[in-house]
Structures are given as C-alpha cells and as structure tokens.
Amino acid sequence: MPELSLRKLTEHDIELVEENFQSLEGASASQWFGFWDTNKLRTRLAQDQFIGSNDGALAICLGEETIGKVDWFSITSWGRANTSACWEIAIGLFAQHRGRGFGTEAQRLLVDYLFAHYPRHRIQATTAAQNIAEQRCLEKLGFFREGLIRQSQWRDGAWHDQAIYSLLRHEHSPAA
C-alpha cells in the first residue's frame, strides 16, 4: 500500500480541491458551506505556497495521488496573540478516501509537523457535534474533548453546535 504523506500544494491540487469540494456530495454535510471563490486559492498559492506565519495548508498524498488537504490557522481568542495564540487544524478528504483511516494519519502528520516547526503550546480542532467519525479520530490522536460550542456555525440554513478538542505540546507523542 502506498505511504501517506503531506507536501506543499500545487496548481493541480487546487484543481482537485475545486472538483471535490464545490458540492454537498464532495464536501460532506459537515463541511458544505455553499459555493466559494476558488480564485483566492490560486492567489494564495502564488503569494506564499500556503505556508504563512498565521496559517497554512498542505496536500494529503497517498503515494503520488492527492487525496485531500489539511489546514491550520492561528486562533487568538483565548488572550493576547503574543502569549495565547494556538493553532486550529482542519481536514478535507476527497469522498472516495473517507472511512479508511487516512484522515487520522494525515492529522497525525500535521500535528507532528506543527509541533516540530512552530513554538505553539496548543493545537485545537472543532467539528460538527454530529460528526462522530472526526471526534473518534481526534481522540485517537490524544486530543481532549473540552466541550460544546453552542450554535457557533451557520451551515445549511441553520445554526449548528461544534465540539471543541485540544492537544497540548506536553501531551503529544510524535510518530516514529
């Protein structure tokens, strides 16, 4: 079986993201927020290849095949940015690759990358309260469920609850 890895995004990856995430079927009910301007993806790719000081994204690859992407962005709502910023992570797997453990491994690789290359103490993730698969994934990675953020996300014409998880640097064990 080919190895799962992360790498910088390319123009071809942007095309795949457009093809796979511009519909309810492709994005999934938990991640479908309607159509969005994908031209911003090409602008960002040209600007810094999605590796910025406040956020970033990487392609998820199974061997040579791109099967999705992972993202991270800075959250500063817990205090001042210079002392309290943390990363929030997100993942999008193409529909045909879901339910096979790739999401767990991709997020493990992303957490390893972020703790190895950035001096942040906390990584957090939020997911739809009904997205049990992602909640199990985060728990397998050692994330702690902190609670429920009530009606925090507008999607599909209604407000939805989000479960919030976190992993602290000293709780993390990098994969060998």
Side-chain angles (χ1 to χ4, degrees), residues 30-68:
S30 296
Q31 294 184 328
W32 174 241
F33 300 97
F35 297 106
W36 44 282
D37 180 5
T38 55
N39 287 323
K40 293 177 184 177
L41 298 176
R42 287 180 179 75
T43 301
R44 179 67 192 271
L45 184 68
Q47 176 188 352
D48 64 8
Q49 297 182 296
F50 284 92
I51 306 295
S53 59
N54 290 315
D55 63 352
L58 296 168
I60 305 168
C61 299
L62 184 60
E64 297 297 315
E65 180 186 6
T66 300
I67 65 169

Side-chain angles (χ1 to χ4, degrees), residues 51-96:
I51 306 295
S53 59
N54 290 315
D55 63 352
L58 296 168
I60 305 168
C61 299
L62 184 60
E64 297 297 315
E65 180 186 6
T66 300
I67 65 169
K69 73 178 182 70
V70 289
D71 303 273
W72 67 96
F73 46 94
S74 189
I75 298 292
T76 58
S77 59
W78 310 121
R80 294 182 182 267
N82 63 336
T83 59
S84 303
C86 70
W87 292 125
E88 181 151 338
I89 62 171
I91 185 169
L93 277 178
F94 302 154
Q96 67 271 28

Side-chain angles (χ1 to χ4, degrees), residues 84-152:
S84 303
C86 70
W87 292 125
E88 181 151 338
I89 62 171
I91 185 169
L93 277 178
F94 302 154
Q96 67 271 28
H97 297 288
R98 295 181 192 135
R100 298 169 54 191
F102 299 139
T104 302
E105 182 58 21
Q107 288 177 100
R108 181 185 320 280
L109 291 169
L110 178 59
V111 167
D112 287 351
Y113 174 81
L114 293 173
F115 277 138
H117 297 287
Y118 296 95
R120 301 279 172 102
H121 179 66
R122 172 188 169 93
I123 296 175
Q124 69 182 42
T126 57
T127 187
Q130 66 273 26
N131 189 345
I132 303 304
E134 176 61 6
Q135 292 174 40
R136 286 187 182 137
C137 169
L138 293 167
E139 290 166 0
K140 283 181 195 174
L141 295 175
F143 278 72
F144 176 81
R145 183 178 172 131
E146 295 182 335
L148 196 68
I149 308 168
R150 299 176 339 147
Q151 297 187 4
S152 58

Side-chain angles (χ1 to χ4, degrees), residues 12-30:
H12 178 66
D13 298 327
I14 302 301
E15 293 167 8
L16 292 172
V17 166
E18 287 174 324
E19 289 173 23
N20 285 276
F21 295 141
Q22 285 287 326
S23 69
L24 171 61
E25 297 77 25
S28 83
S30 296

